[in-house]
């Protein structure tokens, strides 16, 4: 069974004052079909984990390993990681002026699967996926993320996840900035992908709200660049009650 | 404004009319209305290089075109006209020449004084040209030469005229454009010279009552290309749309200096220029002067320049100037922004499996896409897309170090 394995991962971010360590030894194993929630206070390194796994140039892995199905993820370029089956739904999707959503989706799909998708079935698939996410089909002609509302950007990220069919998807605070309706629509999209493709999911969130719609198999609490506690979905319920104060009290080195 | 090319993004939506550049960084040399124009060589001497209109230009490389003794053997001019259009070759004394304004800088005045024969393309009154008229200016030697083309759209006529420049030449050129009342004319000037070419071209347009000029400038090839389009409204209801697209490679200098003179009421101007740069020593200059004179009430004008810097060592200068002498205007604005190819855009596209070179191509194509569709001449649009693809192949070899495909 395909797995995403992270072992003792240390990551620094480039700052003007030099490299600053953020992740201090993360261990995590995600198997296909599993949903892992990573929760934690602001500044604990959750999003750094997402960006570092995807290969963002701002982050440097200083030690540790990350493998996808035994393949060394960290040795791959950003696009190679995506083609190997890793997907990152970004917290702040970037605008690409003059490139239509339709063109972008087709180009990316072609890159990921190594061949252009069959025209007729692809068009149908895109339209169907957009309808499921309650996106107007006129959306396909707009420039990527340009002038999109926060909710539209997140739907567009999940649309890609459904269409590209990754083996592992990292959802980086996909729930942030969504109203309840949008949160439900987006969560349905994630659940559809889970049912249809057996994708393994790393769901990064500050809040427990999204976990009412997407049931995690495992919950990991991130504090100060490592996992401070792990458990099942009941751990999320406890965090809902208690918040992160307990962890921060003991380990107050990271500011938000 | 001289835009530094660092720390800016290619997120074009973030550029705003007045936040994207500073006013007053360049000390103005007085009103554009006071700029000397003349047909006489004595009135416009050889520049030292520090003059406002030459301060961004490589004066040393333009020296041959500053001289008064330009020949005519360096270029050939061939016209393939639509059946409704007439083409003549005339001498200097033809009364129709010199009616679209006077030269405004040294290369314009040397071009005017040196040409021996002019090509006149006339769209007769009320004629609608059924095909594109093509004027091919071909550089055949490095002998510094002068050329003169006049395009006349008589009243209520409609036509598209495309000027193509290629080969290797050293050319000072005048393109006069007269758009009579009610006429609709599109003039496209493509500078796709071979390496080594040096070209200075003064476009001077007069736009009559209720007439419309679409003026398109496309610059890809040549060592130094400097195009200075002037547009002047002579009666109410005129409209000019000026579109420009340029792509500068290593050591190329591409300069576009526009002047829109709103001297009469109720006219509209739109200027949109976009350029991409790649390679060390690639230098582009865009200067957009718009003057709304006191009499030009109800003027509506907007100008925009965007530059996309694809690699280190390239420099884009962008200077919009808007002078307004009346408070009674319908609208006046300008915007200018220069950005680098953005790491975040690259990351986003690569994170979707798209390799770096393909991602860069997507962004550049996207940058130019809308502008190309504004040109409205399908045959020109197709050629442009092909030229951009060719430039992109070059650009990828600059960026990745890989040989061109």
């Amino acid at each position: 069974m395909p797995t995403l394995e992270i072992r003792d991962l240390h990551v620094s971010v480039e700052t003007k004052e030099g490299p600053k360590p953020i992740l201090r030894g993360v261990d995590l194993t995600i198997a296909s079909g599993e949903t892992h929630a990573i929760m934690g206070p602001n500044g604990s390194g959750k999003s750094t984990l997402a960006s570092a796994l995807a290969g963002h140039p701002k982050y440097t892995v200083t030690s540790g390993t990350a493998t996808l199905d035994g393949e060394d993820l960290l040795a791959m370029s950003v696009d190679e990681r995506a083609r190997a089956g890793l997907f990152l739904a970004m917290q702040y999707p970037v605008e690409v002026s003059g490139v239509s959503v339709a063109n972008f989706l087709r180009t990316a799909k072609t890159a990921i699967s190594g061949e252009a998708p069959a025209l007729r079935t692809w068009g149908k698939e895109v339209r169907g996926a957009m309808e499921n996410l309650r996106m107007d089909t006129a959306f396909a002609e707009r420039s990527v993320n340009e002038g999109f509302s926060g909710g539209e950007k997140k739907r567009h990220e999940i649309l890609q996840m459904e269409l590209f069919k990754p083996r592992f998807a990292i959802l980086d605070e996909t729930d942030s900035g969504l109203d309840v309706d949008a949160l439900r629509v987006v969560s349905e999209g994630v659940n559809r992908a889970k049912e249809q493709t057996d994708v393994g999911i790393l769901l990064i969130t500050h809040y427990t709200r999204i976990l009412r719609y997407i049931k995690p198999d495992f919950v990991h609490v991130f504090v100060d660049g490592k996992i401070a506690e792990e458990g099942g979905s009941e751990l999320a319920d406890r965090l809902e009650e208690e918040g992160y104060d307990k962890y921060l009290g003991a380990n107050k080195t990271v500011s938000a | 404004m001289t835009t530094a090319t660092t720390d800016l993004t290619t997120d074009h939506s973030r550029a705003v009319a007045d936040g994207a550049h500073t006013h007053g960084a360049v000390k103005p040399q007085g009103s554009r209305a006071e700029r000397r124009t003349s047909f006489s060589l004595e009135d416009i001497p050889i520049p030292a290089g520090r003059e406002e209109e030459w301060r961004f230009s490589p004066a040393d490389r333009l020296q041959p075109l500053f001289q008064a003794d330009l020949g005519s053997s360096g270029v050939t001019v061939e016209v393939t006209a639509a059946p409704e259009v007439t083409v003549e070759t005339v001498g200097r004394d033809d009364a129709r020449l010199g009616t679209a304004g006077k030269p405004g800088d040294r290369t314009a005045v040397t071009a005017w004084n040196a040409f021996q024969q002019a090509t006149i393309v006339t769209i007769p009154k009320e004629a609608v040209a059924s095909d594109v008229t093509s004027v091919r200016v071909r550089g055949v030697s490095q002998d510094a030469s002068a050329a003169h083309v006049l395009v006349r759209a008589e009243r209520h006529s409609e036509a598209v005229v495309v000027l193509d420049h290629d080969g290797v030449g050293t050319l000072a050129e005048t393109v006069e454009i007269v758009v009579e009342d009610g006429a609709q004319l599109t003039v496209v000037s493509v500078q796709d010279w071979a390496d080594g070419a040096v070209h200075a071209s003064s476009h001077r347009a007069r736009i009559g009552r209720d007439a419309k000029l679409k003026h398109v400038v496309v610059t890809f090839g040549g060592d130094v290309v400097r195009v200075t389009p002037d547009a002047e409204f002579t009666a109410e209801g005129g409209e000019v749309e000026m579109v420009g697209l340029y792509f500068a490679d290593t050591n190329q200098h591409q300069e576009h200096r526009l002047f829109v003179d709103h001297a009469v009421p109720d006219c509209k101007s739109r200027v949109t220029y976009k350029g991409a740069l790649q390679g060390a020593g690639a230098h582009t200059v865009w200067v957009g002067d718009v003057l709304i004179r006191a009499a030009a009430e109800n003027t509506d004008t907007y100008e925009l320049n965007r530059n996309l810097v694809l690699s280190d060592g390239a420099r884009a200068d962008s200077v919009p100037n808007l002078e307004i002498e009346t408070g009674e205007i319908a609208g006046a604005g300008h915007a200018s922004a220069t950005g680098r190819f953005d790491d975040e855009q690259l990351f986003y596209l690569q994170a979707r499996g798209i390799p770096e070179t393909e991602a860069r191509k997507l962004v550049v194509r996207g940058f130019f896409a809308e502008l190309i569709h504004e040109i409205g001449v399908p045959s020109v649009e197709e050629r442009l897309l092909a030229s951009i693809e060719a430039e992109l192949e070059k650009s990828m070899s600059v960026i990745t170090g890989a040989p061109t495909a």
Side-chain angles (χ1 to χ4, degrees), chain B residues 100-178:
Chain B
K102 298 176 199 167
D105 64 27
R106 180 67 187 181
T107 48
V109 80
T110 58
W112 170 261
N113 281 280
F115 79 90
Q116 296 304 315
Q117 289 188 313
T119 303
I120 300 184
V121 174
T122 302
I123 305 100
K125 65 177 180 181
E126 293 174 23
V128 177
S130 56
D131 201 353
V132 170
T133 293
S134 157
V135 179
R136 185 165 286 273
V137 179
R138 180 161 282 159
V140 293
S141 84
Q142 291 279 25
D143 299 338
S145 297
H148 195 106
V149 176
L150 164 61
V151 181
R152 295 174 58 245
E154 293 184 348
R155 63 183 168 84
H156 296 295
S157 66
E158 293 177 28
V160 176
V161 177
V162 179
L163 285 85
D164 269 298
H165 302 84
D166 58 17
V168 181
T170 302
L171 177 66
E173 181 186 41
T174 306
V175 178
E176 288 192 276
I177 301 165
V178 176

Side-chain angles (χ1 to χ4, degrees), chain A residues 79 83 88 95 157 160, chain B residues 11 13 344 348 350 352-353:
Chain A
D79 49 305
R83 293 198 295 273
L88 170 62
E95 298 180 2
E157 295 294 289
Q160 293 170 56
Chain B
D11 180 352
S13 64
E344 294 297 330
Y348 187 77
Q350 278 192 280
R352 273 58 181 138

Side-chain angles (χ1 to χ4, degrees), chain A residues 34-150:
Chain A
E34 291 179 354
T35 298
H36 293 243
I38 293 203
M39 306 194 61
N42 288 330
S44 58
K46 308 184 298 289
S47 286
T48 296
L49 178 65
S51 296
L53 288 175
H56 194 288
K58 212 169 79 178
Y59 300 93
T60 309
V61 175
T62 50
S63 68
T65 60
T67 56
L68 199 161
D69 238 359
E71 297 283 328
D72 182 0
L73 205 56
L74 303 179
M76 300 180 198
S77 64
V78 176
D79 49 305
E80 284 168 346
R81 295 179 199 202
R83 293 198 295 273
L86 186 71
F87 179 81
L88 170 62
M90 298 199 195
Q91 191 178 358
Y92 304 110
V94 180
E95 298 180 2
V96 189
S97 196
V99 178
S100 72
V101 167
N103 182 16
F104 164 71
L105 293 175
R106 195 176 52 247
T107 304
K109 182 67 179 180
T110 303
I112 289 167
S113 44
E115 58 179 357
L119 241 105
R120 273 182 58 205
T121 51
W122 175 246
K124 230 167 117 180
E125 205 179 328
V126 171
R127 277 193 302 278
M130 288 176 74
E131 275 167 31
N132 283 338
L133 286 163
R134 321 271 196 284
M135 296 167 82
D136 195 303
T137 47
F139 214 81
E141 297 313 315
R142 291 170 65 184
S143 287
V144 171
N145 291 319
E146 197 175 68
F148 286 19
S149 70

